[in-house]
Amino acid sequence: MNTVPPASTGATPWGERLLPVLAAVGLAYVFWQPLWWGAGLVGGDLYSYYFPQKQFLADALRSGTFPLWNHLAGHGYPVLGESQTGACYPLHVLLYRWCDVQTAWNAVLVLHYAAAFLLMWCCARRSGLAVGGSLLAATVYVYGWFPVRSCLEWAILGGLYLPAAVWCVEGFLQTGRSRYLGGLGAALGLQLLGGHYQMAFYTWLLLGGYVPSRVFWVEWVETEPPAGNGKIGGEKIGGEKIGGEKIGGEKIGGEKIGGGKTEGSPGMPCAARSKQRGLRFGCLVAAMAGGVALGSVQLFPTAELQRLSQRGGSGPAHDPNYGAIPPAYLSQLIAPWYWYDPSRDLDAELNRLRWGALPSGTNRVEAHLYFGQVPFYLVVVGLMALAAYRRIDRWTFLWLMVVTLATVIAVGWLQAWLVSMPGFRYFRGVGRVGVLVTLGWALLAGRMLDLATTTWRPFGRFLGVAGVWGLTVIDLAWWPAPVNYAVMVENVPIRARDASPLREILRAEPQQPVRLYAPGANIANLLGVASTPVYLGLGPRAYFDPQYTLPAADEDDFHAYSAERVAWLKQAGVTHVLSFEPLERRGWPVEFVWSGWDPLLNPAWARFTEPLYLYRLRGAPGRVTWATGETEGIGKVKAAVDRVTVEVAAAQPGTLVLKDLDYPGWQVAVDGANVSGMSVGMFRGVNVPAGKHTVVWSYRPASVYWGAVGSALGAGWLGLAAWLWRAWLGARALESTARSG
């Protein structure tokens, strides 16, 4: 057989419409119940990476500013370039503008889990799965691969659009409706606007093989009758009906295709069929291109940063081979009780596995690939049975190939060749391609469940589907639970931000703007002040250049004193030091400011009883100096999101240096007149004449403006393409009516 399973036909009963909604909301509540009532996660990258970005976005939006430059992390970075903030994602703009950060983050997580379930359900139904198979497929996809990555926002936010893209491709090929073209472009565009490109890359990787295979190889045609009496489970197939609805005579999915013959209809001439396939393929490619254009406002700045980032090649700063699944660890699929034992140091054991594994290392979250015992054996036994009877059709074979190839990539066996390709060279965590394995396995499990229960009576079928689904939910909720880097807490630290005494003290310090040297990269940004060191997944290369980075301490001791470290801090514009222990005893040139327990930072660092210590750094010139290192004549400095203003009274001409990152898009004006700036190491500089002047640095990146134009053109292109396709269908329908008349 060369067909995909037939799609559901006729009107959808109200119960079938309600079931996926109830299941989506119910499972989101079961798996994430504490989040519904205000609890939150602590651990992983939440407080060192995501929350500082989200808090910065929320503060900027509430002040009426759309942020393009984050001036708090390190010496600054482009918000849209680094992309993980997701500043252009519509739901982020809405929720982080009006809700506190924890509430907004919880809402985004829960809504995306529920939406991913619904979209996967739609994908499964459009792929021909019955209600039971679709329910299982959606559960396996959403709760098999994503929950262990709960503290990694990119996973579920980007993974939401993977089944959406497949659903839109199938919907267009089966019905010819232009709304599916628009949906495909919108799904790909929103995935890019979310800023999590690795999931977008895997979506394109799948579509690159799936779309041509579906158009030219796996046709959606009238189902061929099986050998024998032409029935399966007492229902006719290929001759008249499936599920009581017509198929093969006029409609598929209850809708005409192309205004006339159905796709691949035997009554359509071969040349016309080939032409229609080519046209449909071209329309899908055009919609995908429109999706890329729609995400241009996020893509252009990232492309600019990528050229200037640490991801130019392999090395300690960026190793694309890190995060593969050791081949022996695939046994987690059949022996989760062995691997998911909470008493085991799983990360250490994974890095001791040598057979077939990459030497770059991995961890338990990156290497996770588990979708339940029942779905696993359901597919294995089902494929064996179909192979024995030679009943593996091309749709099943296509998804089996997706699963196989993605598994080979996930274990790293192709990395020696793939690492030279842009996408695989750009991203770490090759084991994350396991999301495609899970997607394919989910669809195959749903298909096998349908085939296994198709001959059962309705009540028996209901019990069988309910049993398989229930066991799978319990399995996915139980076994992988220890595979996580985050823990659920009721009293989340970030809600105590307004009660932070440290925040108030720093805001009242005489030397402004403050730049804090603090342990735990980025966490101090939650206080609303700049801090160093910085942690960025995609960061400017200067942050990883030994010429500009903080000199290492003995045994990586954060509080170790050395003259070189103190000199670097002063040269980098650091004004204050926050530590876990008294610094005067270790020879630091500091002035004590405050010691105590902070309700925001202490719980975030899991220091529940130990105090924190805040100091001024003696002799620190601050964020703005002359090139000579002096500060005489430098007056008020005001640092905003995309703008820095400095008042100076220069006794003689000199070069003013702002200890913020020099980056394309920054322009400088002296007394309102644009002048040419310069690079002073990794910082920004400008020549200032003698006298009183106002110097203003403004961030006006061309990449963002061109990206915004591209996004506008992309939205227009999607609308135009959908309208042209609709007009073409109408013209064909009129032509067909005229001929028949």
Side-chain angles (χ1 to χ4, degrees):
M1 298 176 67
N2 65 350
T3 63
V4 293
S8 59
T9 61
T12 304
W14 69 268
E16 185 181 326
R17 295 177 184 271
L18 187 59
L19 175 62
V21 176
L22 293 177
V25 175
L27 287 176
Y29 184 79
V30 168
F31 277 81
W32 302 116
Q33 178 182 353
L35 297 184
W36 290 63
W37 304 106
L41 292 164
V42 176
D45 286 340
L46 279 174
Y47 279 83
S48 63
Y49 193 56
Y50 292 112
F51 276 178
Q53 293 179 334
K54 303 307 183 187
Q55 187 65 65
F56 172 80
L57 174 65
D59 289 343
L61 292 176
R62 290 167 194 162
S63 68
T65 302
F66 184 83
L68 299 178
W69 183 265
N70 188 325
H71 64 297
L72 299 184
H75 304 287
Y77 68 87
V79 172
L80 298 184
E82 201 275 342
S83 84
Q84 297 284 312
T85 304
C88 291
Y89 195 59
L91 192 60
H92 285 171
V93 175
L94 177 65
L95 290 177
Y96 286 102
R97 169 63 178 84
W98 297 106
C99 304
D100 66 86
V101 168
Q102 185 65 62
T103 300
W105 192 89
N106 289 358
V108 168
L109 186 75
V110 171
L111 286 173
H112 279 79
Y113 268 93
F117 187 96
L118 292 174
L119 288 172
M120 185 60 193
W121 167 279
C122 293
C123 173
R125 292 294 283 151
R126 182 54 70 182
S127 296
L129 274 63
V131 171
S134 299
L135 185 66
L136 179 63
T139 303
V140 169
Y141 174 70
V142 177
Y143 293 99
W145 196 80
F146 294 101
V148 296
R149 294 164 176 81
S150 56
C151 64
L152 301 176
E153 181 193 58
W154 59 265
I156 189 61
L157 193 151
L160 167 73
Y161 298 101
L162 179 56
V166 177
W167 172 41
C168 290
V169 169
E170 288 295 344
F172 175 71
L173 292 177
Q174 295 173 42
T175 70
R177 290 195 170 185
S178 57
R179 66 189 183 193
Y180 287 107
L181 286 178
L184 176 61
L188 297 177
L190 285 171
Q191 193 177 42
L192 292 173
L193 290 178
H196 305 291
Y197 299 129
Q198 193 160 12
M199 294 303 298
F201 173 67
Y202 292 148
T203 301
W204 276 83
L205 195 66
L206 175 65
L207 294 180
Y210 186 81
V211 169
S213 297
R214 266 292 286 115
V215 173
F216 299 109
W217 186 59
V218 187
E219 300 180 22
W220 194 287
V221 300
E222 299 170 355
T223 307
E224 300 173 1
N229 61 6
K231 291 187 178 183
I232 294 181
E235 296 179 312
K236 290 185 179 181
I237 182 170
E240 181 69 18
K241 294 184 179 181
I242 290 182
E245 301 290 342
K246 277 191 174 183
I247 184 169
E250 185 175 0
K251 296 183 179 182
I252 292 182
E255 300 173 86
K256 288 186 178 181
I257 298 182
K261 302 285 186 180
T262 56
E263 178 192 355
S265 173
M268 182 180 292
C270 182
R273 198 158 58 239
S274 298
K275 181 179 179 181
Q276 189 180 75
R277 290 175 187 168
L279 183 60
R280 288 173 183 272
F281 179 74
C283 287
L284 288 171
V285 172
M288 293 164 66
V292 174
L294 188 62
S296 294
V297 70
Q298 186 73 73
L299 278 174
F300 279 35
T302 302
E304 179 181 60
L305 176 59
Q306 196 277 333
R307 293 193 300 270
L308 305 171
S309 75
Q310 84 277 25
R311 297 200 181 189
S314 299
H318 176 66
D319 183 1
N321 292 321
Y322 178 82
I325 302 175
Y329 192 48
L330 293 176
S331 59
Q332 64 188 291
L333 291 167
I334 59 176
W337 52 86
Y338 173 79
W339 292 106
Y340 301 158
D341 183 349
S343 64
R344 300 170 68 94
D345 186 349
L346 186 53
D347 286 349
E349 291 204 26
L350 290 179
N351 286 290
R352 283 196 293 265
L353 297 176
R354 290 289 177 261
W355 178 83
L358 296 180
S360 297
T362 189
N363 63 66
R364 60 184 182 269
V365 172
E366 301 292 359
H368 180 77
L369 185 63
Y370 184 74
F371 23 78
Q373 296 283 279
V374 174
F376 176 76
Y377 287 110
L378 192 62
V379 173
V380 171
V381 174
L383 289 176
M384 291 173 62
L386 289 177
Y389 288 97
R390 299 182 180 179
R391 301 289 296 176
I392 297 182
D393 56 62
R394 291 188 182 181
W395 180 89
T396 303
F397 186 78
L398 174 60
W399 280 109
L400 186 58
M401 290 300 98
V402 170
V403 167
T404 302
L405 182 58
T407 302
V408 173
I409 294 175
V411 299
W413 286 347
L414 299 182
Q415 274 298 97
W417 298 275
L418 294 177
V419 75
S420 61
M421 299 174 60
F424 290 97
R425 182 175 66 245
Y426 181 79
F427 299 110
R428 290 179 46 162
V430 67
R432 297 174 182 179
V433 80
V435 67
L436 299 184
V437 181
T438 306
L439 175 67
W441 206 276
L443 290 171
L444 291 173
R447 177 84 186 279
M448 299 309 163
L449 178 62
D450 289 344
L451 291 177
T453 59
T454 189
T455 59
W456 298 9
R457 293 184 180 277
F459 185 68
R461 185 183 307 166
F462 169 79
L463 290 180
V465 169
V468 168
W469 180 73
L471 288 173
T472 300
V473 170
I474 295 172
D475 186 353
L476 296 178
W478 177 263
W479 286 118
V483 186
N484 210 324
Y485 282 141
V487 295
M488 193 76 69
V489 297
E490 291 187 5
N491 298 318
V492 289
I494 199 167
R495 292 194 191 278
R497 183 174 185 250
D498 291 339
S500 167
L502 187 55
R503 180 169 177 247
E504 294 302 318
I505 291 171
L506 288 171
R507 293 171 68 178
E509 277 294 281
Q511 190 174 12
Q512 296 288 340
V514 167
R515 174 166 286 155
L516 191 64
Y517 176 56
N522 300 349
I523 293 181
N525 295 160
L526 293 170
L527 300 171
V529 299
S531 70
T532 193
V534 63
Y535 166 43
L536 294 173
L538 178 67
R541 192 175 297 124
Y543 289 146
F544 305 88
D545 188 340
Q547 180 181 356
Y548 302 120
T549 53
L550 181 70
D554 294 338
E555 300 180 357
D556 199 27
D557 183 356
F558 183 86
H559 302 102
Y561 168 77
S562 71
E564 293 79 7
R565 289 168 70 85
V566 171
W568 184 92
L569 293 176
K570 292 181 178 180
Q571 186 267 342
V574 170
T575 60
H576 293 70
V577 179
L578 185 66
S579 73
F580 292 158
E581 59 184 79
L583 294 183
E584 305 98 319
R585 305 172 186 172
R586 309 191 76 172
W588 281 76
V590 292
E591 177 185 347
F592 177 79
V593 176
W594 172 86
S595 177
W597 191 87
D598 188 84
L600 170 61
L601 294 189
N602 277 86
W605 277 321
R607 296 179 63 84
F608 300 108
T609 59
E610 304 91 335
L612 301 177
Y613 300 85
L614 176 67
Y615 299 89
R616 297 187 191 96
L617 186 62
R618 287 199 184 101
R623 297 266 289 274
V624 182
T625 69
W626 298 107
T628 59
E630 299 176 355
T631 59
E632 185 178 354
I634 297 176
K636 186 176 180 180
V637 179
K638 183 179 180 181
V641 174
D642 304 322
R643 186 182 179 93
V644 179
T645 303
V646 183
E647 303 289 341
V648 298
Q652 58 186 4
T655 300
L656 192 68
V657 179
L658 173 64
K659 304 297 181 62
D660 285 354
L661 183 69
D662 187 39
Y663 191 82
W666 277 101
Q667 301 177 10
V668 61
V670 177
D671 297 329
N674 291 334
V675 297
S676 297
M678 65 182 68
S679 296
V680 181
M682 63 181 291
F683 304 131
R684 304 174 214 151
V686 62
N687 289 325
V688 178
K692 293 184 178 181
H693 304 283
T694 300
V695 181
V696 178
W697 276 274
S698 303
Y699 187 53
R700 299 172 182 172
S703 59
V704 173
Y705 300 141
W706 283 112
V709 171
S711 291
L713 293 176
W717 167 251
L718 287 174
L720 177 62
W723 181 83
L724 289 174
W725 174 258
R726 190 179 184 89
W728 182 81
L729 288 182
R732 285 202 60 194
L734 289 175
E735 182 182 352
S736 177
T737 302
R739 288 178 179 175
S740 62

